[in-house]
Amino acid sequence: MMQVVDVGFMPLVDAAPLIVAREMGFAARERLDLRLHRAANWSMLRDLLDLGRVDAAHMLSPMPVARALGLGGGGGGGGPAVETLMVLSMNGQVVGVSPLLAQDMQATGLAFGFGDASATAQALLAARSAGLRIGVPFPFSMHAELLNYWLGPQVTLTTVPPPDMAAAIGDGEIEAFCVGEPWGSKSVEMGVAQLILPGSAIWSQAPEKVLAARSGWADDNPGLAGRLMRAVWRAAEWLAQDQNRHLASELLGAPDCLSVEPEIIDRALTGRLLTQRRGTTIRSDALLEFHDGAANFPWRSQAAWIATRMARRFGLDPTAAAETAQGVWRSDLYRQHLAEIAILPAASSKVEGACPRPQTVGATRSSLILARNRFFDGLVFDPSPEI
């Protein structure tokens, strides 16, 4: 018997595991009628989850952490607790600037290339020493965390829903943005922006989107939660196979999904980007990852990094914040429901930024190869002394 599960999503390429789970039959295999509800912005999606109109949601990875810390709820305060069940995607963000700002960056004389975070930051700040307004999709987002880490307080972040980013930079409301695909590439296609950096150049293993649910939902509905997680995991595994990515672009481009030309979606899925409208295609490794390298595992150290960064900005105790955040990053549920199909790491936390190349680690069976994990400045984050 099929069971209905309602899941909210934003029209972004990294919603692909949910869309593929529905369209390719992975949800049906788990006897789920997966009903997807498209939201216009992140506040709307948050409210759909809070009000119980959806059971789970495609969500920015810092949103459950912010909620646990009493930040980011409706009306500016806290709200119902939200838990991360699994990670849907790693990376996938791009930084873009207006054509005028791109020219001014070149005029500084500083050499920078797509992927060089340090040199790009130097050129960007030199071109706008008086300040810069950058669009991000939501105040509590990996986009905001990466920009704060990369550029510091010299820039002002303003919230712009992802589908509106091209219009905002084209109208001069912002001069730069950090946004998830396909909206960076869509801005390039419209001739209003040039891409200057992938988010993976700032942190090569940034958890971008998660599958989230209200606190207690997965514990109260273990069968339904497990079936949903397994369907999404299998969809992510399917997406990791090169031969499936063109079909995925077609599925995502549908009017009820992203409603964007498949060719533009394909750029993000293959890592082959146009940084400017009449430029040449470049290869951006690790632009977006759905599955490989234990990408779907909710590492508690990821939650601790996000919480520590937020705590320092909002005047909270970093140690207490990191401990609180780890409680809503449910690696225990991931182990419970995916043990039969996934290779699980032996630990649920790790040192972030300390892996300059792929590394083999202990796992529940066989071995597990983790992807390169580096911050642009070479720093590492070890949660153990602070927790």
Side-chain angles (χ1 to χ4, degrees):
M1 179 177 173
M2 300 291 280
Q3 187 171 2
V4 173
V5 60
D6 293 286
V7 179
F9 79 101
M10 279 286 287
L12 290 152
V13 173
D14 51 36
L18 296 172
I19 295 167
V20 166
R22 182 188 68 178
E23 297 298 324
M24 295 303 296
F26 297 110
R29 184 188 303 179
E30 293 287 342
R31 295 175 289 109
L32 293 178
D33 179 3
L34 178 55
R35 298 183 182 177
L36 298 180
H37 303 262
R38 174 172 160 165
N41 55 58
W42 289 109
S43 295
M44 177 181 175
L45 187 58
R46 174 200 62 202
D47 294 344
L48 287 173
L49 188 62
D50 285 352
L51 295 171
R53 294 179 181 172
V54 296
D55 301 304
H58 165 237
M59 186 169 280
L60 295 156
S61 62
M63 289 177 73
V65 173
R67 183 63 63 88
L69 300 182
L71 307 167
V82 177
E83 298 176 326
T84 292
L85 308 184
M86 61 189 297
V87 175
L88 293 177
S89 63
M90 307 291 289
N91 307 321
Q93 324 86 354
V94 290
V95 179
V97 298
S98 68
L100 177 59
L101 179 50
Q103 291 177 13
D104 291 345
M105 289 175 68
Q106 294 287 351
T108 66
L110 297 169
F112 63 93
F114 195 77
D116 188 336
S118 296
T120 302
Q122 188 178 2
L124 185 59
L125 296 175
R128 290 294 181 271
S129 57
L132 175 65
R133 185 176 295 275
I134 303 182
V136 295
F138 198 68
F140 302 101
S141 61
M142 186 54 66
H143 313 80
E145 295 305 325
L146 292 177
L147 289 175
N148 277 302
Y149 183 71
W150 178 47
L151 298 175
Q154 298 97 318
V155 298
T156 300
L157 305 185
T158 185
T159 301
V160 180
D164 298 337
M165 204 66 78
I169 198 166
D171 293 343
E173 178 185 341
I174 54 176
E175 274 198 286
F177 59 67
C178 182
V179 71
E181 284 288 77
W183 303 110
S185 289
K186 187 67 174 178
S187 299
V188 169
E189 196 70 14
M190 294 170 63
V192 296
Q194 176 177 329
L195 303 184
I196 60 170
L197 197 74
S200 58
I202 302 171
W203 182 13
S204 65
Q205 282 287 284
E208 171 56 25
K209 299 299 190 308
V210 298
L211 180 64
R214 292 181 308 283
S215 180
W217 178 82
D219 291 315
D220 293 341
N221 302 276
L224 185 57
R227 286 151 60 194
L228 175 61
M229 292 171 69
R230 287 190 294 273
V232 172
W233 187 91
R234 288 192 171 100
E237 182 185 41
W238 183 90
L239 281 161
Q241 301 173 40
D242 289 343
Q243 67 269 24
N244 294 332
R245 290 176 178 169
H246 292 299
L247 174 56
S249 298
E250 297 286 342
L251 297 176
L252 268 62
D256 65 335
C257 296
L258 275 62
S259 192
V260 170
E261 302 93 319
E263 188 276 329
I264 294 178
I265 296 171
D266 191 64
R267 298 177 194 177
L269 293 179
T270 61
R272 295 179 175 87
L273 292 176
L274 279 175
T275 58
Q276 47 190 320
R277 191 174 186 181
R278 293 181 175 82
T280 57
T281 300
I282 66 165
R283 175 73 186 183
S284 180
D285 293 327
L287 177 70
L288 174 62
E289 181 57 62
F290 290 111
H291 183 73
D292 291 343
N296 304 119
F297 188 80
W299 295 92
R300 294 180 184 245
S301 47
Q302 295 169 338
W305 184 87
I306 294 167
T308 300
R309 298 289 307 173
M310 285 184 181
R312 290 170 180 162
R313 279 207 315 284
F314 291 96
L316 306 177
D317 178 71
T319 301
E323 185 173 5
T324 297
Q326 289 185 103
V328 298
W329 219 256
R330 298 294 303 274
S331 54
D332 59 319
L333 290 176
Y334 191 94
R335 292 182 183 280
Q336 175 185 341
H337 294 302
L338 293 171
E340 293 185 2
I341 61 175
I343 299 175
L344 303 174
S348 294
S349 186
K350 63 186 189 302
V351 178
E352 301 292 345
C355 190
R357 60 189 62 85
Q359 180 181 25
T360 301
V361 298
T364 52
R365 52 188 169 87
S366 184
S367 61
L368 183 63
I369 299 177
L370 299 184
R372 176 179 178 270
N373 188 339
R374 296 288 286 174
F375 294 103
F376 81 98
D377 53 9
L379 295 181
V380 299
F381 174 76
D382 184 351
S384 55
E386 299 186 44
I387 298 171

mmCIF file with all atom_site columns, all heavy atoms in Angstrom, residues 146-166:
data_model
loop_
_atom_site.group_PDB
_atom_site.id
_atom_site.type_symbol
_atom_site.label_atom_id
_atom_site.label_alt_id
_atom_site.label_comp_id
_atom_site.label_asym_id
_atom_site.label_entity_id
_atom_site.label_seq_id
_atom_site.pdbx_PDB_ins_code
_atom_site.Cartn_x
_atom_site.Cartn_y
_atom_site.Cartn_z
_atom_site.occupancy
_atom_site.B_iso_or_equiv
_atom_site.pdbx_formal_charge
_atom_site.auth_seq_id
_atom_site.auth_comp_id
_atom_site.auth_asym_id
_atom_site.auth_atom_id
_atom_site.pdbx_PDB_model_num
ATOM 1   N N   . LEU A 1 146 ? 29.831 31.039 4.209   1.00 0.00 ? 146 LEU A N   1
ATOM 2   C CA  . LEU A 1 146 ? 31.051 31.035 3.388   1.00 0.00 ? 146 LEU A CA  1
ATOM 3   C C   . LEU A 1 146 ? 31.544 32.456 3.120   1.00 0.00 ? 146 LEU A C   1
ATOM 4   O O   . LEU A 1 146 ? 32.748 32.722 3.194   1.00 0.00 ? 146 LEU A O   1
ATOM 5   C CB  . LEU A 1 146 ? 30.800 30.305 2.067   1.00 0.00 ? 146 LEU A CB  1
ATOM 6   C CG  . LEU A 1 146 ? 30.570 28.795 2.155   1.00 0.00 ? 146 LEU A CG  1
ATOM 7   C CD1 . LEU A 1 146 ? 30.269 28.226 0.770   1.00 0.00 ? 146 LEU A CD1 1
ATOM 8   C CD2 . LEU A 1 146 ? 31.766 28.076 2.775   1.00 0.00 ? 146 LEU A CD2 1
ATOM 9   N N   . LEU A 1 147 ? 30.621 33.370 2.799   1.00 0.00 ? 147 LEU A N   1
ATOM 10  C CA  . LEU A 1 147 ? 31.031 34.748 2.519   1.00 0.00 ? 147 LEU A CA  1
ATOM 11  C C   . LEU A 1 147 ? 31.610 35.417 3.760   1.00 0.00 ? 147 LEU A C   1
ATOM 12  O O   . LEU A 1 147 ? 32.622 36.136 3.676   1.00 0.00 ? 147 LEU A O   1
ATOM 13  C CB  . LEU A 1 147 ? 29.846 35.556 1.995   1.00 0.00 ? 147 LEU A CB  1
ATOM 14  C CG  . LEU A 1 147 ? 29.363 35.206 0.585   1.00 0.00 ? 147 LEU A CG  1
ATOM 15  C CD1 . LEU A 1 147 ? 28.121 36.004 0.247   1.00 0.00 ? 147 LEU A CD1 1
ATOM 16  C CD2 . LEU A 1 147 ? 30.455 35.459 -0.457  1.00 0.00 ? 147 LEU A CD2 1
ATOM 17  N N   . ASN A 1 148 ? 30.993 35.219 4.920   1.00 0.00 ? 148 ASN A N   1
ATOM 18  C CA  . ASN A 1 148 ? 31.529 35.782 6.155   1.00 0.00 ? 148 ASN A CA  1
ATOM 19  C C   . ASN A 1 148 ? 32.909 35.224 6.467   1.00 0.00 ? 148 ASN A C   1
ATOM 20  O O   . ASN A 1 148 ? 33.795 35.954 6.922   1.00 0.00 ? 148 ASN A O   1
ATOM 21  C CB  . ASN A 1 148 ? 30.566 35.504 7.313   1.00 0.00 ? 148 ASN A CB  1
ATOM 22  C CG  . ASN A 1 148 ? 29.437 36.516 7.387   1.00 0.00 ? 148 ASN A CG  1
ATOM 23  O OD1 . ASN A 1 148 ? 29.672 37.710 7.499   1.00 0.00 ? 148 ASN A OD1 1
ATOM 24  N ND2 . ASN A 1 148 ? 28.200 36.047 7.322   1.00 0.00 ? 148 ASN A ND2 1
ATOM 25  N N   . TYR A 1 149 ? 33.093 33.939 6.222   1.00 0.00 ? 149 TYR A N   1
ATOM 26  C CA  . TYR A 1 149 ? 34.396 33.312 6.467   1.00 0.00 ? 149 TYR A CA  1
ATOM 27  C C   . TYR A 1 149 ? 35.444 33.819 5.474   1.00 0.00 ? 149 TYR A C   1
ATOM 28  O O   . TYR A 1 149 ? 36.593 34.065 5.843   1.00 0.00 ? 149 TYR A O   1
ATOM 29  C CB  . TYR A 1 149 ? 34.242 31.794 6.351   1.00 0.00 ? 149 TYR A CB  1
ATOM 30  C CG  . TYR A 1 149 ? 35.503 31.014 6.654   1.00 0.00 ? 149 TYR A CG  1
ATOM 31  C CD1 . TYR A 1 149 ? 35.983 30.924 7.950   1.00 0.00 ? 149 TYR A CD1 1
ATOM 32  C CD2 . TYR A 1 149 ? 36.200 30.357 5.643   1.00 0.00 ? 149 TYR A CD2 1
ATOM 33  C CE1 . TYR A 1 149 ? 37.135 30.204 8.236   1.00 0.00 ? 149 TYR A CE1 1
ATOM 34  C CE2 . TYR A 1 149 ? 37.341 29.633 5.917   1.00 0.00 ? 149 TYR A CE2 1
ATOM 35  C CZ  . TYR A 1 149 ? 37.806 29.559 7.215   1.00 0.00 ? 149 TYR A CZ  1
ATOM 36  O OH  . TYR A 1 149 ? 38.948 28.847 7.494   1.00 0.00 ? 149 TYR A OH  1
ATOM 37  N N   . TRP A 1 150 ? 35.040 33.975 4.229   1.00 0.00 ? 150 TRP A N   1
ATOM 38  C CA  . TRP A 1 150 ? 35.955 34.324 3.139   1.00 0.00 ? 150 TRP A CA  1
ATOM 39  C C   . TRP A 1 150 ? 36.309 35.803 3.109   1.00 0.00 ? 150 TRP A C   1
ATOM 40  O O   . TRP A 1 150 ? 37.484 36.169 2.969   1.00 0.00 ? 150 TRP A O   1
ATOM 41  C CB  . TRP A 1 150 ? 35.296 33.901 1.823   1.00 0.00 ? 150 TRP A CB  1
ATOM 42  C CG  . TRP A 1 150 ? 36.027 34.196 0.557   1.00 0.00 ? 150 TRP A CG  1
ATOM 43  C CD1 . TRP A 1 150 ? 37.355 33.964 0.282   1.00 0.00 ? 150 TRP A CD1 1
ATOM 44  C CD2 . TRP A 1 150 ? 35.464 34.750 -0.642  1.00 0.00 ? 150 TRP A CD2 1
ATOM 45  N NE1 . TRP A 1 150 ? 37.648 34.343 -1.007  1.00 0.00 ? 150 TRP A NE1 1
ATOM 46  C CE2 . TRP A 1 150 ? 36.513 34.826 -1.602  1.00 0.00 ? 150 TRP A CE2 1
ATOM 47  C CE3 . TRP A 1 150 ? 34.197 35.173 -0.993  1.00 0.00 ? 150 TRP A CE3 1
ATOM 48  C CZ2 . TRP A 1 150 ? 36.302 35.325 -2.889  1.00 0.00 ? 150 TRP A CZ2 1
ATOM 49  C CZ3 . TRP A 1 150 ? 33.983 35.651 -2.269  1.00 0.00 ? 150 TRP A CZ3 1
ATOM 50  C CH2 . TRP A 1 150 ? 35.023 35.732 -3.203  1.00 0.00 ? 150 TRP A CH2 1
ATOM 51  N N   . LEU A 1 151 ? 35.319 36.675 3.272   1.00 0.00 ? 151 LEU A N   1
ATOM 52  C CA  . LEU A 1 151 ? 35.523 38.107 3.088   1.00 0.00 ? 151 LEU A CA  1
ATOM 53  C C   . LEU A 1 151 ? 35.492 38.912 4.381   1.00 0.00 ? 151 LEU A C   1
ATOM 54  O O   . LEU A 1 151 ? 35.926 40.072 4.398   1.00 0.00 ? 151 LEU A O   1
ATOM 55  C CB  . LEU A 1 151 ? 34.465 38.669 2.130   1.00 0.00 ? 151 LEU A CB  1
ATOM 56  C CG  . LEU A 1 151 ? 34.473 38.095 0.707   1.00 0.00 ? 151 LEU A CG  1
ATOM 57  C CD1 . LEU A 1 151 ? 33.298 38.643 -0.080  1.00 0.00 ? 151 LEU A CD1 1
ATOM 58  C CD2 . LEU A 1 151 ? 35.790 38.408 -0.002  1.00 0.00 ? 151 LEU A CD2 1
ATOM 59  N N   . GLY A 1 152 ? 34.956 38.335 5.456   1.00 0.00 ? 152 GLY A N   1
ATOM 60  C CA  . GLY A 1 152 ? 34.893 39.063 6.713   1.00 0.00 ? 152 GLY A CA  1
ATOM 61  C C   . GLY A 1 152 ? 33.809 40.128 6.710   1.00 0.00 ? 152 GLY A C   1
ATOM 62  O O   . GLY A 1 152 ? 32.894 40.122 5.887   1.00 0.00 ? 152 GLY A O   1
ATOM 63  N N   . PRO A 1 153 ? 33.917 41.097 7.629   1.00 0.00 ? 153 PRO A N   1
ATOM 64  C CA  . PRO A 1 153 ? 32.846 42.082 7.819   1.00 0.00 ? 153 PRO A CA  1
ATOM 65  C C   . PRO A 1 153 ? 32.836 43.225 6.806   1.00 0.00 ? 153 PRO A C   1
ATOM 66  O O   . PRO A 1 153 ? 32.020 44.140 6.921   1.00 0.00 ? 153 PRO A O   1
ATOM 67  C CB  . PRO A 1 153 ? 33.138 42.611 9.226   1.00 0.00 ? 153 PRO A CB  1
ATOM 68  C CG  . PRO A 1 153 ? 34.629 42.502 9.349   1.00 0.00 ? 153 PRO A CG  1
ATOM 69  C CD  . PRO A 1 153 ? 35.011 41.256 8.604   1.00 0.00 ? 153 PRO A CD  1
ATOM 70  N N   . GLN A 1 154 ? 33.727 43.198 5.825   1.00 0.00 ? 154 GLN A N   1
ATOM 71  C CA  . GLN A 1 154 ? 33.805 44.315 4.869   1.00 0.00 ? 154 GLN A CA  1
ATOM 72  C C   . GLN A 1 154 ? 32.630 44.372 3.906   1.00 0.00 ? 154 GLN A C   1
ATOM 73  O O   . GLN A 1 154 ? 32.482 45.346 3.167   1.00 0.00 ? 154 GLN A O   1
ATOM 74  C CB  . GLN A 1 154 ? 35.107 44.242 4.049   1.00 0.00 ? 154 GLN A CB  1
ATOM 75  C CG  . GLN A 1 154 ? 36.378 44.366 4.887   1.00 0.00 ? 154 GLN A CG  1
ATOM 76  C CD  . GLN A 1 154 ? 36.961 43.005 5.209   1.00 0.00 ? 154 GLN A CD  1
ATOM 77  O OE1 . GLN A 1 154 ? 36.244 42.070 5.535   1.00 0.00 ? 154 GLN A OE1 1
ATOM 78  N NE2 . GLN A 1 154 ? 38.281 42.895 5.117   1.00 0.00 ? 154 GLN A NE2 1
ATOM 79  N N   . VAL A 1 155 ? 31.798 43.335 3.889   1.00 0.00 ? 155 VAL A N   1
ATOM 80  C CA  . VAL A 1 155 ? 30.698 43.297 2.935   1.00 0.00 ? 155 VAL A CA  1
ATOM 81  C C   . VAL A 1 155 ? 29.366 43.258 3.671   1.00 0.00 ? 155 VAL A C   1
ATOM 82  O O   . VAL A 1 155 ? 29.286 42.847 4.829   1.00 0.00 ? 155 VAL A O   1
ATOM 83  C CB  . VAL A 1 155 ? 30.811 42.078 1.993   1.00 0.00 ? 155 VAL A CB  1
ATOM 84  C CG1 . VAL A 1 155 ? 32.096 42.156 1.173   1.00 0.00 ? 155 VAL A CG1 1
ATOM 85  C CG2 . VAL A 1 155 ? 30.757 40.773 2.778   1.00 0.00 ? 155 VAL A CG2 1
ATOM 86  N N   . THR A 1 156 ? 28.324 43.725 2.976   1.00 0.00 ? 156 THR A N   1
ATOM 87  C CA  . THR A 1 156 ? 26.962 43.703 3.508   1.00 0.00 ? 156 THR A CA  1
ATOM 88  C C   . THR A 1 156 ? 26.160 42.661 2.749   1.00 0.00 ? 156 THR A C   1
ATOM 89  O O   . THR A 1 156 ? 26.132 42.685 1.511   1.00 0.00 ? 156 THR A O   1
ATOM 90  C CB  . THR A 1 156 ? 26.300 45.085 3.356   1.00 0.00 ? 156 THR A CB  1
ATOM 91  O OG1 . THR A 1 156 ? 27.065 46.056 4.080   1.00 0.00 ? 156 THR A OG1 1
ATOM 92  C CG2 . THR A 1 156 ? 24.875 45.058 3.891   1.00 0.00 ? 156 THR A CG2 1
ATOM 93  N N   . LEU A 1 157 ? 25.528 41.755 3.480   1.00 0.00 ? 157 LEU A N   1
ATOM 94  C CA  . LEU A 1 157 ? 24.731 40.711 2.851   1.00 0.00 ? 157 LEU A CA  1
ATOM 95  C C   . LEU A 1 157 ? 23.267 41.109 2.842   1.00 0.00 ? 157 LEU A C   1
ATOM 96  O O   . LEU A 1 157 ? 22.734 41.594 3.849   1.00 0.00 ? 157 LEU A O   1
ATOM 97  C CB  . LEU A 1 157 ? 24.908 39.384 3.598   1.00 0.00 ? 157 LEU A CB  1
ATOM 98  C CG  . LEU A 1 157 ? 26.348 38.876 3.765   1.00 0.00 ? 157 LEU A CG  1
ATOM 99  C CD1 . LEU A 1 157 ? 26.343 37.499 4.425   1.00 0.00 ? 157 LEU A CD1 1
ATOM 100 C CD2 . LEU A 1 157 ? 27.080 38.827 2.428   1.00 0.00 ? 157 LEU A CD2 1
ATOM 101 N N   . THR A 1 158 ? 22.614 40.914 1.712   1.00 0.00 ? 158 THR A N   1
ATOM 102 C CA  . THR A 1 158 ? 21.190 41.230 1.582   1.00 0.00 ? 158 THR A CA  1
ATOM 103 C C   . THR A 1 158 ? 20.467 40.009 1.026   1.00 0.00 ? 158 THR A C   1
ATOM 104 O O   . THR A 1 158 ? 21.003 39.288 0.173   1.00 0.00 ? 158 THR A O   1
ATOM 105 C CB  . THR A 1 158 ? 20.979 42.457 0.670   1.00 0.00 ? 158 THR A CB  1
ATOM 106 O OG1 . THR A 1 158 ? 19.604 42.816 0.662   1.00 0.00 ? 158 THR A OG1 1
ATOM 107 C CG2 . THR A 1 158 ? 21.430 42.170 -0.755  1.00 0.00 ? 158 THR A CG2 1
ATOM 108 N N   . THR A 1 159 ? 19.276 39.747 1.515   1.00 0.00 ? 159 THR A N   1
ATOM 109 C CA  . THR A 1 159 ? 18.542 38.540 1.149   1.00 0.00 ? 159 THR A CA  1
ATOM 110 C C   . THR A 1 159 ? 17.786 38.720 -0.162  1.00 0.00 ? 159 THR A C   1
ATOM 111 O O   . THR A 1 159 ? 17.013 39.669 -0.319  1.00 0.00 ? 159 THR A O   1
ATOM 112 C CB  . THR A 1 159 ? 17.552 38.152 2.260   1.00 0.00 ? 159 THR A CB  1
ATOM 113 O OG1 . THR A 1 159 ? 18.275 37.942 3.481   1.00 0.00 ? 159 THR A OG1 1
ATOM 114 C CG2 . THR A 1 159 ? 16.790 36.892 1.899   1.00 0.00 ? 159 THR A CG2 1
ATOM 115 N N   . VAL A 1 160 ? 18.026 37.785 -1.086  1.00 0.00 ? 160 VAL A N   1
ATOM 116 C CA  . VAL A 1 160 ? 17.343 37.766 -2.380  1.00 0.00 ? 160 VAL A CA  1
ATOM 117 C C   . VAL A 1 160 ? 16.982 36.311 -2.683  1.00 0.00 ? 160 VAL A C   1
ATOM 118 O O   . VAL A 1 160 ? 17.873 35.457 -2.699  1.00 0.00 ? 160 VAL A O   1
ATOM 119 C CB  . VAL A 1 160 ? 18.238 38.320 -3.514  1.00 0.00 ? 160 VAL A CB  1
ATOM 120 C CG1 . VAL A 1 160 ? 17.496 38.276 -4.844  1.00 0.00 ? 160 VAL A CG1 1
ATOM 121 C CG2 . VAL A 1 160 ? 18.719 39.722 -3.208  1.00 0.00 ? 160 VAL A CG2 1
ATOM 122 N N   . PRO A 1 161 ? 15.707 35.967 -2.923  1.00 0.00 ? 161 PRO A N   1
ATOM 123 C CA  . PRO A 1 161 ? 15.362 34.591 -3.281  1.00 0.00 ? 161 PRO A CA  1
ATOM 124 C C   . PRO A 1 161 ? 16.148 34.156 -4.520  1.00 0.00 ? 161 PRO A C   1
ATOM 125 O O   . PRO A 1 161 ? 16.347 34.960 -5.456  1.00 0.00 ? 161 PRO A O   1
ATOM 126 C CB  . PRO A 1 161 ? 13.861 34.667 -3.574  1.00 0.00 ? 161 PRO A CB  1
ATOM 127 C CG  . PRO A 1 161 ? 13.387 35.835 -2.762  1.00 0.00 ? 161 PRO A CG  1
ATOM 128 C CD  . PRO A 1 161 ? 14.515 36.830 -2.821  1.00 0.00 ? 161 PRO A CD  1
ATOM 129 N N   . PRO A 1 162 ? 16.611 32.904 -4.558  1.00 0.00 ? 162 PRO A N   1
ATOM 130 C CA  . PRO A 1 162 ? 17.450 32.452 -5.686  1.00 0.00 ? 162 PRO A CA  1
ATOM 131 C C   . PRO A 1 162 ? 16.906 32.770 -7.079  1.00 0.00 ? 162 PRO A C   1
ATOM 132 O O   . PRO A 1 162 ? 17.657 33.291 -7.922  1.00 0.00 ? 162 PRO A O   1
ATOM 133 C CB  . PRO A 1 162 ? 17.560 30.936 -5.441  1.00 0.00 ? 162 PRO A CB  1
ATOM 134 C CG  . PRO A 1 162 ? 17.426 30.802 -3.967  1.00 0.00 ? 162 PRO A CG  1
ATOM 135 C CD  . PRO A 1 162 ? 16.440 31.851 -3.543  1.00 0.00 ? 162 PRO A CD  1
ATOM 136 N N   . PRO A 1 163 ? 15.604 32.525 -7.374  1.00 0.00 ? 163 PRO A N   1
ATOM 137 C CA  . PRO A 1 163 ? 15.134 32.821 -8.730  1.00 0.00 ? 163 PRO A CA  1
ATOM 138 C C   . PRO A 1 163 ? 15.146 34.305 -9.079  1.00 0.00 ? 163 PRO A C   1
ATOM 139 O O   . PRO A 1 163 ? 15.053 34.664 -10.254 1.00 0.00 ? 163 PRO A O   1
ATOM 140 C CB  . PRO A 1 163 ? 13.688 32.282 -8.725  1.00 0.00 ? 163 PRO A CB  1
ATOM 141 C CG  . PRO A 1 163 ? 13.658 31.274 -7.623  1.00 0.00 ? 163 PRO A CG  1
ATOM 142 C CD  . PRO A 1 163 ? 14.571 31.822 -6.582  1.00 0.00 ? 163 PRO A CD  1
ATOM 143 N N   . ASP A 1 164 ? 15.261 35.179 -8.049  1.00 0.00 ? 164 ASP A N   1
ATOM 144 C CA  . ASP A 1 164 ? 15.249 36.625 -8.287  1.00 0.00 ? 164 ASP A CA  1
ATOM 145 C C   . ASP A 1 164 ? 16.650 37.228 -8.351  1.00 0.00 ? 164 ASP A C   1
ATOM 146 O O   . ASP A 1 164 ? 16.798 38.445 -8.512  1.00 0.00 ? 164 ASP A O   1
ATOM 147 C CB  . ASP A 1 164 ? 14.465 37.336 -7.172  1.00 0.00 ? 164 ASP A CB  1
ATOM 148 C CG  . ASP A 1 164 ? 13.012 36.904 -7.117  1.00 0.00 ? 164 ASP A CG  1
ATOM 149 O OD1 . ASP A 1 164 ? 12.503 36.423 -8.154  1.00 0.00 ? 164 ASP A OD1 1
ATOM 150 O OD2 . ASP A 1 164 ? 12.400 37.029 -6.041  1.00 0.00 ? 164 ASP A OD2 1
ATOM 151 N N   . MET A 1 165 ? 17.682 36.393 -8.226  1.00 0.00 ? 165 MET A N   1
ATOM 152 C CA  . MET A 1 165 ? 19.042 36.918 -8.133  1.00 0.00 ? 165 MET A CA  1
ATOM 153 C C   . MET A 1 165 ? 19.473 37.641 -9.410  1.00 0.00 ? 165 MET A C   1
ATOM 154 O O   . MET A 1 165 ? 20.119 38.696 -9.354  1.00 0.00 ? 165 MET A O   1
ATOM 155 C CB  . MET A 1 165 ? 20.020 35.791 -7.806  1.00 0.00 ? 165 MET A CB  1
ATOM 156 C CG  . MET A 1 165 ? 21.293 36.249 -7.129  1.00 0.00 ? 165 MET A CG  1
ATOM 157 S SD  . MET A 1 165 ? 21.038 36.935 -5.455  1.00 0.00 ? 165 MET A SD  1
ATOM 158 C CE  . MET A 1 165 ? 20.826 35.453 -4.470  1.00 0.00 ? 165 MET A CE  1
ATOM 159 N N   . ALA A 1 166 ? 19.117 37.096 -10.562 1.00 0.00 ? 166 ALA A N   1
ATOM 160 C CA  . ALA A 1 166 ? 19.508 37.735 -11.826 1.00 0.00 ? 166 ALA A CA  1
ATOM 161 C C   . ALA A 1 166 ? 18.878 39.119 -11.948 1.00 0.00 ? 166 ALA A C   1
ATOM 162 O O   . ALA A 1 166 ? 19.542 40.090 -12.354 1.00 0.00 ? 166 ALA A O   1
ATOM 163 C CB  . ALA A 1 166 ? 19.097 36.860 -13.009 1.00 0.00 ? 166 ALA A CB  1
#
